[in-house]
């Protein structure tokens, strides 16, 4: 179960991970940050879905 502020948190973390990926010079580190960003994006999407009553 997610809280209402989770969407904002996940969206903020996704942006931060994408920024870190873009700034990374090491390809392995870049891929890890992108993977984290993708996961935060999935969580943000799920947290925005209506909850069953």
């Amino acid at each position: 179960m997610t809280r209402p502020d989770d969407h904002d948190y996940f969206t903020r973390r996704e942006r931060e991970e994408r920024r870190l990926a873009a700034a990374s010079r090491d390809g392995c580190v870049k891929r890890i940050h992108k993977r984290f960003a993708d996961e935060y994006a999935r969580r943000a999407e799920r947290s925005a879905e209506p909850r069953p009553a």
Side-chain angles (χ1 to χ4, degrees):
M1 198 77 139
T2 58
R3 296 180 317 195
D5 58 309
D6 287 346
H7 183 270
D8 292 338
Y9 171 77
F10 293 141
T11 302
R12 188 170 50 252
R13 290 297 296 137
E14 177 194 0
R15 281 193 311 263
E16 178 66 8
E17 290 299 334
R18 294 205 190 280
R19 184 189 69 74
L20 291 169
S24 295
R25 294 183 180 165
D26 183 304
C28 183
V29 172
K30 184 181 292 277
R31 282 189 301 276
I32 291 168
H33 282 299
K34 285 182 178 181
R35 192 174 305 147
F36 285 154
D38 291 344
E39 180 59 29
Y40 280 121
R42 279 191 288 280
R43 291 178 184 215
E45 188 175 315
R46 276 186 274 156
S47 71
E49 293 174 356
R51 298 180 194 169

